[in-house]
């Protein structure tokens, strides 16, 4: 069985519609490509209790990986580690390794002439203050380190909300971990497009093809009346040959059924 | 106190990172503009139990409004109403009003020469099958009606996942309801941008301004090292004059503090 992941995104800007949640989308895509199954995405505000609740609920569902984004910075409303500490019943403590990462960042900024020499004021020390038992993950493009807490049954990873920082820490410190723990299967997907057939006619045809191809998941995405309907095929397989054979067989069968029912299959668009 | 809302988005395509969740973003923005506070956004897959769990948890939190998106169409994997029925312990039944809406859609498509006369096959009847006690909401641009279930303490609204259909039903049948129930306050926001000051220096300044302006919420959004930092100000107020005064006062104070600490305030960008 594939390992499962839940994503928790923290930030009022997501709840007022100011910011589009591209972080969840990016993480879901990366995890899926490694054969990890994302079961749920939760968005909560910058509030310690809301964050703690979301983490607790995720732990109850015994998810293998929990990845949070946002709320690791120096300001008062960066509350993710406080929320995680509360959920796990752990104390927040200055982590010497994390504080060293933060200090070295400021020293480098100073050496490079980017800023004056700064003191480790409380907001800066805050970025090196982690729940007990946590390890910092180096941030190659920003100041606040990521955080990993390995609880055996569950691994919790906290990443910043600034997208380039989130992505850099993920690629440097998280990707390999997921890849190693996900088991073999890798995710493969492709789409075909039909014209001249409506979704309610298509529905039982997809049913039949999924019944005959139990390893392939098919979902139709109508784009509006009279427009082409996208039919998205996906499977998790050990290797690309198996995946291609499976997807190919399902695509041929559904294409024939669409044509028998008066529809047309459009040439496949290239995926970017 | 403002009324609260939770959004539940249903769709595997969101969990594999195929689709960016623009629906949640659009709904959050619209609800916030009416003075409704979005407390949480949850994304689950096309699975009856996952949907039912998410709805049950939301009900436990006694949210006034629950809005779901996705999973109302004719295909086997459109499972939202099944999940809602399970969570509410209600039966799914053909709703005559909803079935009439679906039938009239197909008759109109036929009259307009868009398709042959079609029978109300099971996938089509499915779109008129609602949890007991639910009312359909007309879909001006597609076939599947929206759904509203008024449980007094909580109002649950199910909208399709296709964005133009979701938006059209929201504007026609949901917007006024939210506006009437939200009480007076309306949401106002604006941003200013600082240069030459880093976030960890900015943090205590924002703290101070929020302390002196308890009705104003300020959040900084760094865009990366050496880039401008956005400072986003928001408030919920009865009228725009009160809001502008409040935001103006906080902006002046923070701008002065930034300059005293060696930073610059950039001219305000126009919001689109």
């Amino acid at each position: 069985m594939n390992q499962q992941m839940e994503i928790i995104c923290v930030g009022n800007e997501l709840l007022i519609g100011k910011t589009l949640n591209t972080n969840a989308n990016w993480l879901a895509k990366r995890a899926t490509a490694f054969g990890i199954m994302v079961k749920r995405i939760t968005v909560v505000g910058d509030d310690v209790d809301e964050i703690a609740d979301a983490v607790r609920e995720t732990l109850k569902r015994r998810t293998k990986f929990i990845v949070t984004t946002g709320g690791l910075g120096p300001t008062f409303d960066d509350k993710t580690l406080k929320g995680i500490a509360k959920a796990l019943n752990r104390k927040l403590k200055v982590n010497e390794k994390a504080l060293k990462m933060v200090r070295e960042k400021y020293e480098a900024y100073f050496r490079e002439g980017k800023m004056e020499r700064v003191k480790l004021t409380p907001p800066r020390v805050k970025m090196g203050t982690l729940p007990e038992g946590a390890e910092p993950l180096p941030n190659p493009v920003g100041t606040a380190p990521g955080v990993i807490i390995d609880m055996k049954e569950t691994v919790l990873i906290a990443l910043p909300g600034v997208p380039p920082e989130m992505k850099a820490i993920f690629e440097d410190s998280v990707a390999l971990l997921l890849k190693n723990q996900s088991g073999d299967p890798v995710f493969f997907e492709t789409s075909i497009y039909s014209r001249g057939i409506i979704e309610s006619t298509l529905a039982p045809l997809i049913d039949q093809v999924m019944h005959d191809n139990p390893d392939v998941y098919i979902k139709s995405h109508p784009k509006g009346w009279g427009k082409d309907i996208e039919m998205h095929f996906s499977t998790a397989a050990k290797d690309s040959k198996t995946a291609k054979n499976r997807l190919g067989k399902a695509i041929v069968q559904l294409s024939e059924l669409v044509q028998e029912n008066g529809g047309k299959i459009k040439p496949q668009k290239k995926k970017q």
Side-chain angles (χ1 to χ4, degrees), chain A residues 26-238:
Chain A
W26 188 90
L27 282 169
K29 199 179 284 176
R30 293 292 286 139
T32 302
F34 292 141
I36 304 270
M37 188 180 181
V38 178
K39 287 283 280 183
R40 192 188 274 230
I41 299 165
T42 305
V43 183
V44 292
D46 301 299
D47 178 285
V48 174
D49 290 321
E50 293 285 328
I51 299 164
D53 284 348
V55 172
R56 262 190 227 109
E57 293 159 19
T58 308
L59 287 170
K60 261 191 218 155
R61 289 188 289 267
R62 296 170 171 273
T63 316
K64 179 66 194 173
F65 296 103
I66 306 174
V67 179
T68 73
T69 65
L72 296 190
T75 72
F76 82 98
D77 60 4
D78 288 306
K79 293 173 178 163
T80 300
L81 295 179
K82 228 173 172 170
I84 290 173
K86 188 167 182 180
L88 302 183
N89 229 340
R90 297 190 187 197
K91 287 200 178 110
L92 281 172
K93 263 181 67 175
V94 171
N95 178 299
E96 286 309 325
K97 223 161 123 189
L99 195 67
K100 187 162 171 262
M101 288 180 187
V102 174
R103 187 187 301 118
E104 283 173 357
K105 281 284 169 179
Y106 285 114
E107 281 168 5
Y109 298 151
F110 171 70
R111 275 199 309 278
E112 292 160 20
K114 284 178 175 171
M115 61 184 291
E116 293 174 50
R117 187 177 285 280
V118 294
K119 285 182 195 153
L120 279 183
T121 53
R124 288 166 191 143
V125 172
K126 176 180 176 299
M127 292 189 281
T129 305
L130 315 185
E132 279 186 312
E135 287 292 323
L137 303 171
N139 183 339
V141 295
T143 313
V147 175
I148 186 164
I149 305 177
D150 189 345
M151 296 167 279
K152 303 289 177 237
E153 194 177 42
T154 297
V155 179
L156 191 155
I157 295 152
L159 301 175
V162 181
E165 299 185 23
M166 187 272 297
K167 291 177 189 176
I169 299 176
F170 182 93
E171 298 297 2
D172 282 6
S173 304
V174 183
L176 194 66
L177 176 79
L178 296 185
K179 220 168 174 170
N180 288 342
Q181 296 221 12
S182 75
D184 288 354
V186 177
F187 186 80
F188 295 85
E189 58 177 334
T190 189
S191 288
I192 62 172
Y193 298 80
S194 69
R195 181 167 283 180
I197 187 164
I198 59 174
E199 209 197 3
S200 54
T201 305
L202 196 57
L205 312 180
I206 291 179
D207 256 359
Q208 187 185 328
V209 178
M210 278 190 62
H211 178 265
D212 295 348
N213 300 268
D215 292 323
V216 177
Y217 189 85
I218 309 171
K219 185 161 184 181
S220 57
H221 297 280
K223 309 292 178 189
W225 182 264
K227 302 249 175 73
D228 302 339
I229 297 175
E230 176 180 3
M231 292 167 291
H232 180 260
F233 295 69
S234 60
T235 191
K238 279 200 174 186

Side-chain angles (χ1 to χ4, degrees), chain A residues 208-210 212-213 248-258:
Chain A
Q208 187 185 328
V209 178
M210 278 190 62
D212 295 348
N213 300 268
K249 189 168 162 280
I251 287 170
V252 168
Q253 189 186 357
L254 185 54
S255 301
E256 286 173 359
L257 285 171
V258 165

